[in-house]
C-alpha cells in the first residue's frame, strides 16, 4: 500500500476517533457521570469491546449504508469521511452528543449530489425512519425496565451497600454490552464509505482462514474508535452522564441497557435470522444513532419521574445538533470535493455510465419491463445516473420504484475483463473450489455489466446462484454478494 492510499485513509481514522470521542459517552457516560465507574476503567473496557463488536458483527449495518450511495473512488471516500468527522468534532468540542450516523449520511448525500449519482430513496427512507424510531424505542424500553428494576429492588429489600455493589457490576456489564453493540452498529459510519473503493486485498492466515478487505477496514476503524474513547471522550461523558438529567446509579444502568438493546436490535444478523426462521417480522440492519438512543432512554426515565428534572433547554440544543450535523457534513463534503477535484486534481468519483443496449432491453423484458416507453433512449450512452434519469423524465417514462431500480441496475455499465493475469488473486479469496473453477472457466471473456458476469457464473455452478431476497435467506445472500463484490473488484482492475 503506497503513502497516498494511507493519506486518504486518515480521514476515516479521524472519523473513527471522533466517533469514539463522542459516542463512548452513550455507553459509559451515565456510569461515569454518577461516579460509579472511573473514567479510565470505562475507557479501557469500551475500547476493547468496540473492537470486538466491529470485527465480529459490523457487516449487516454496513451493507445498508453502502446501498445509500457507493462512493467508488478513494479520494471521494476520503472527503466524505473527513466532512463527517469534522462535523462530529465541532459538536464534540461544544460538549454535545451528536450522531455520527447523521454525519456520514449527510456526507454521502453530498457526494451523490456532486457525482450526479443516485441516492437510494429506499435506503435513505429506512435510515431516516430510524432517526425517529430510535429514541422513541429507547424510551419505550427504558420506561418499563426502570419500573421493573425499581420494583425488583424494593421486593428484594437489599442492603444499600449490596445494591451499590450490584449496580456497579451491572453498569460494567451493560457498558461492555453497549460497547459491543456500538462497534457492531456504528463501524459502518467510520469505514462504510471506503468499502467500494477498499485499498486492501484479502489474505490467508496460516492457510486456515482468510481475512477480507472489509474485515481489515473494520479493524482499522475500530482501533481509531478506541483511540478516541481513551483520549477525548471525558467531557461528553459528563454531559450525557449528569448534564441532561441527574441520574441515580440504577437509572444510569437502565439508560445504558436500553441504549445497548436498541443498537443491538439494529445490528444483529443472528437475531434477524432467528426472527425470519419463525416467520416473525425482521428488524432492518441499519446504522442507528447511538446518541439518539441514549438520550431517548434518559428522557424516558425522566418522564417516569414526572419530567420536571429534565433539562429541556439542553435537550433542545442536542436536538438542534442532530438537525445541523447532516447539513453541515453534506455541505462540507460537496465543497471539499470541488476543491479536491479542481484544485488538487484528484479523481473523486469514477464515472458510471448507463446504456440501454439490446442485451439490457432483453433482460428488462424478462423482468416484465416493456421496452416500448423507452423510445429514443435505446442505444444511447448516459454519463451519469442524473443524466439518465433526466432523459427518462423527458421521454415521460414512468416506473414504480422497484422497476426503476431494476432499470438502473441492468443499464449500469461496469466492464469486467476476465484477464488471466489476475486469476492468482482468486487464491486469496474465500471462494469454494467450485466457485473458483467457475471463475477460471470464463477466462478471456469481457462483460460490460456486472449482472452479466453474475449470471455467467451462476450458469457454471449453482454455488454462484443468489438465493431469493427473503428474510430467511438474507444472511446467505449477503455472504454470496460479498464474494461477488470480491470478483468484481478483482477483474475491474484489469480494465
Amino acid at each position: 500500500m503506497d503513502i497516498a492510499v494511507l493519506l486518504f485513509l486518515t480521514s476515516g481514522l479521524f472519523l473513527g476517533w471522533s466517533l469514539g470521542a463522542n459516542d463512548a459517552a452513550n455507553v459509559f457516560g451515565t456510569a461515569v457521570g454518577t461516579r460509579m465507574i472511573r473514567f479510565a476503567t470505562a475507557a479501557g473496557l469500551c475500547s476493547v469491546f468496540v473492537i470486538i463488536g466491529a470485527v465480529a458483527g459490523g457487516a449487516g449495518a454496513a451493507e445498508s449504508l453502502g446501498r445509500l450511495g457507493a462512493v467508488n473512488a478513494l479520494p471521494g471516500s476520503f472527503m466524505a469521511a473527513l466532512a463527517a468527522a469534522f462535523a462530529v468534532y465541532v459538536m464534540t468540542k461544544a460538549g454535545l452528543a451528536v450522531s455520527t450516523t447523521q454525519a456520514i449520511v449527510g456526507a454521502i448525500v453530498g457526494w451523490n449530489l456532486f457525482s450526479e449519482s443516485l441516492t437510494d430513496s429506499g435506503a435513505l427512507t429506512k435510515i431516516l425512519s430510524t432517526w425517529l424510531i430510535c429514541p422513541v424505542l429507547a424510551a419505550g424500553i427504558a420506561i418499563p425496565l426502570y419500573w421493573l428494576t425499581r420494583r425488583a429492588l424494593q421486593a428484594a429489600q437489599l442492603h444499600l451497600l449490596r445494591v451499590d455493589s450490584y449496580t456497579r457490576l451491572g453498569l460494567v456489564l451493560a457498558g461492555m454490552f453497549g460497547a459491543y453493540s456500538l462497534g457492531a452498529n456504528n463501524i459502518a459510519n467510520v469505514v462504510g464509505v471506503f468499502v467500494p473503493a477498499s485499498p486492501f486485498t484479502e489474505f490467508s492466515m496460516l492457510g486456515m482462514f482468510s481475512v477480507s478487505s472489509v474485515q481489515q477496514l473494520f479493524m482499522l476503524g475500530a482501533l481509531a474508535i478506541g483511540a478516541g474513547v481513551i483520549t477525548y471522550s471525558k467531557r461528553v461523558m459528563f454531559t450525557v452522564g449528569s448534564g441532561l438529567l441527574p441520574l441515580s446509579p440504577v437509572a444510569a444502568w437502565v439508560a445504558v441497557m436500553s441504549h445497548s438493546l436498541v443498537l443491538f436490535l439494529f445490528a444483529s444478523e443472528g437475531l434477524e435470522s432467528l426472527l425470519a426462521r419463525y416467520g416473525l417480522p425482521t428488524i432492518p440492519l441499519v446504522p442507528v444513532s447511538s446518541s439518539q438512543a441514549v438520550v431517548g432512554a434518559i428522557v424516558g426515565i425522566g418522564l417516569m419521574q414526572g419530567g420536571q428534572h429534565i433539562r429541556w433547554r439542553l435537550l433542545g440544543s442536542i436536538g438542534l445538533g442532530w438537525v445541523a450535523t447532516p447539513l453541515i457534513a453534506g455541505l462540507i463534503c460537496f465543497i471539499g470535493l470541488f476543491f479536491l477535484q479542481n484544485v488538487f486534481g484528484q479523481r473523486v468519483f469514477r464515472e458510471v455510465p448507463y446504456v440501454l443496449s439490446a442485451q439490457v432491453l432483453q433482460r428488462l423484458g424478462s423482468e416484465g419491463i416493456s421496452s416500448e416507453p423507452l423510445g429514443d433512449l435505446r442505444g444511447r450512452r448516459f454519463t451519469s445516473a442524473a443524466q439518465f434519469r433526466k432523459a427518462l423524465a423527458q421521454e415521460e417514462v414512468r416506473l414504480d420504484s422497484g422497476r426503476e431500480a431494476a432499470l438502473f441496475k441492468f443499464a449500469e455499465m461496469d466492464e469486467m475483463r476476465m484477464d488471466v493475469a489476475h486469476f492468482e488473486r482468486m487464491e486469496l479469496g474465500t471462494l469454494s473450489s467450485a466457485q473458483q473453477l467457475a471463475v477460471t472457466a470464463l477466462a478471456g471473456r469481457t462483460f460490460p455489466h456486472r449482472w452479466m458476469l453474475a449470471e455467467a457464473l451462476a450458469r457454471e455452478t449453482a454455488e454462484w446462484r443468489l438465493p431469493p431476497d427473503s428474510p430467511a435467506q438474507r444472511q446467505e445472500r449477503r455472504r454470496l454478494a460479498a464474494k461477488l463484490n470480491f470478483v468484481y473488484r478483482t477483474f475491474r482492475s484489469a480494465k
Side-chain angles (χ1 to χ4, degrees):
M1 189 185 303
D2 59 34
I3 294 177
V5 171
L6 289 174
L7 287 174
F8 284 133
L9 286 175
T10 56
S11 67
L13 300 180
F14 179 33
L15 179 56
W17 179 87
S18 298
L19 187 149
N22 195 285
D23 286 10
N26 307 327
V27 177
F28 277 105
T30 51
V32 172
T34 55
R35 311 290 180 179
M36 294 294 287
I37 298 175
R38 291 184 301 125
F39 170 75
T41 303
L45 289 172
C46 186
S47 300
V48 170
F49 281 89
V50 158
I51 293 171
I52 295 172
V55 176
E63 181 193 15
S64 295
L65 193 64
R67 285 199 297 268
L68 180 63
V71 185
N72 57 20
L74 202 54
S77 301
F78 164 81
M79 185 49 64
L82 182 63
F86 186 76
V88 172
Y89 175 72
V90 169
M91 297 301 176
T92 302
K93 285 286 288 183
L96 297 176
V98 298
S99 169
T100 52
T101 300
Q102 293 169 342
I104 198 63
V105 166
I108 290 174
V109 172
W111 182 88
N112 287 346
L113 292 172
F114 186 84
S115 64
E116 297 188 337
S117 301
L118 289 180
T119 298
D120 189 314
S121 57
L124 182 61
T125 301
K126 184 184 293 185
I127 292 173
L128 290 178
S129 67
T130 66
W131 296 0
L132 299 175
I133 295 169
C134 180
V136 174
L137 180 60
I141 294 173
I143 289 171
L145 183 60
Y146 183 61
W147 183 84
L148 288 170
T149 303
R150 290 182 61 189
R151 291 296 298 268
L153 290 173
Q154 289 171 0
Q157 296 183 343
L158 298 173
H159 190 278
L160 285 177
L161 292 177
R162 184 66 61 87
V163 172
D164 183 80
S165 177
Y166 287 163
T167 303
R168 194 182 304 273
L169 176 62
L171 284 168
V172 170
L173 295 176
M176 288 157 56
F177 174 49
Y180 174 90
S181 301
L182 176 66
N185 190 276
N186 276 205
I187 191 63
N189 300 337
V190 175
V191 294
V193 292
F194 290 95
V195 170
S198 174
F200 297 108
T201 56
E202 300 193 22
F203 66 89
S204 298
M205 294 188 67
L206 305 176
M208 294 188 298
F209 61 93
S210 297
V211 181
S212 71
S213 64
V214 174
Q215 288 173 318
Q216 294 171 60
L217 280 172
F218 283 2
M219 174 61 79
L220 197 61
L223 290 171
I225 295 173
V229 172
I230 293 169
T231 60
Y232 208 74
S233 65
K234 193 170 186 177
R235 181 179 179 185
V236 182
M237 275 198 189
F238 279 101
T239 297
V240 170
S242 58
L244 184 59
L245 174 74
L247 293 174
S248 68
V250 172
W253 178 83
V254 171
V256 175
M257 279 301 298
S258 303
H259 150 273
S260 305
L261 284 168
V262 169
L263 263 65
F264 181 77
L265 290 174
F266 286 99
S268 175
E269 292 180 287
L271 178 62
E272 181 190 48
S273 298
L274 181 65
L275 293 174
R277 191 179 308 138
Y278 290 99
L280 299 172
T282 59
I283 299 170
L285 301 185
V286 295
V288 296
S289 170
S290 173
S291 301
Q292 288 180 326
V294 76
V295 169
I298 292 173
V299 170
I301 294 169
L303 293 175
M304 273 288 291
Q305 298 173 344
Q308 64 268 27
H309 298 301
I310 298 174
R311 296 191 173 99
W312 295 103
R313 181 172 295 180
L314 178 59
L315 180 62
S317 298
I318 293 174
L320 184 62
W322 291 347
V323 174
T325 299
L327 298 177
I328 293 171
L331 183 62
I332 292 173
C333 185
F334 191 94
I335 295 172
L337 289 169
F338 176 84
F339 279 96
L340 204 58
Q341 177 175 273
N342 295 286
V343 177
F344 297 100
Q346 295 296 317
R347 187 186 185 193
V348 296
F349 65 90
R350 177 174 54 83
E351 185 180 277
V352 180
Y354 294 79
V355 174
L356 286 174
S357 63
Q359 293 167 310
V360 171
L361 293 173
Q362 183 179 359
R363 187 65 181 81
L364 289 171
S366 68
E367 296 287 321
I369 302 175
S370 173
S371 61
E372 289 299 322
L374 299 174
D376 295 336
L377 302 182
R378 302 178 207 181
R380 289 175 55 186
R381 179 186 177 92
F382 304 94
T383 59
S384 69
Q387 189 183 90
F388 187 28
R389 174 168 278 174
K390 182 179 180 181
L392 290 170
Q394 290 174 344
E395 292 293 323
E396 298 184 354
V397 177
R398 294 181 176 85
L399 299 171
D400 59 43
S401 58
R403 294 194 173 193
E404 184 185 70
L407 174 61
F408 277 86
K409 171 188 171 183
F410 294 125
E412 181 181 328
M413 295 284 293
D414 195 2
E415 188 176 275
M416 310 285 165
R417 294 181 184 173
M418 311 302 285
D419 192 331
V420 177
H422 286 69
F423 273 46
E424 65 271 14
R425 293 193 185 185
M426 292 294 98
E427 298 175 4
L428 305 178
T430 56
L431 309 183
S432 68
S433 298
Q435 289 172 331
Q436 291 193 42
L437 286 173
V439 173
T440 56
L442 303 179
R445 294 179 59 180
T446 298
F447 299 91
H449 304 277
R450 277 176 292 180
W451 61 267
M452 293 178 68
L453 174 55
E455 292 183 356
L457 289 170
R459 286 192 293 270
E460 293 292 332
T461 176
E463 292 189 25
W464 274 119
R465 291 175 191 162
L466 282 169
D469 189 11
S470 63
Q473 295 181 291
R474 193 163 292 154
Q475 198 166 357
E476 179 58 32
R477 184 182 176 91
R478 193 177 290 129
R479 280 194 289 264
L480 188 54
K483 292 185 177 184
L484 279 169
N485 286 329
F486 171 64
V487 175
Y488 298 153
R489 287 197 304 269
T490 300
F491 292 101
R492 183 184 296 126
S493 64
K495 290 173 25 175

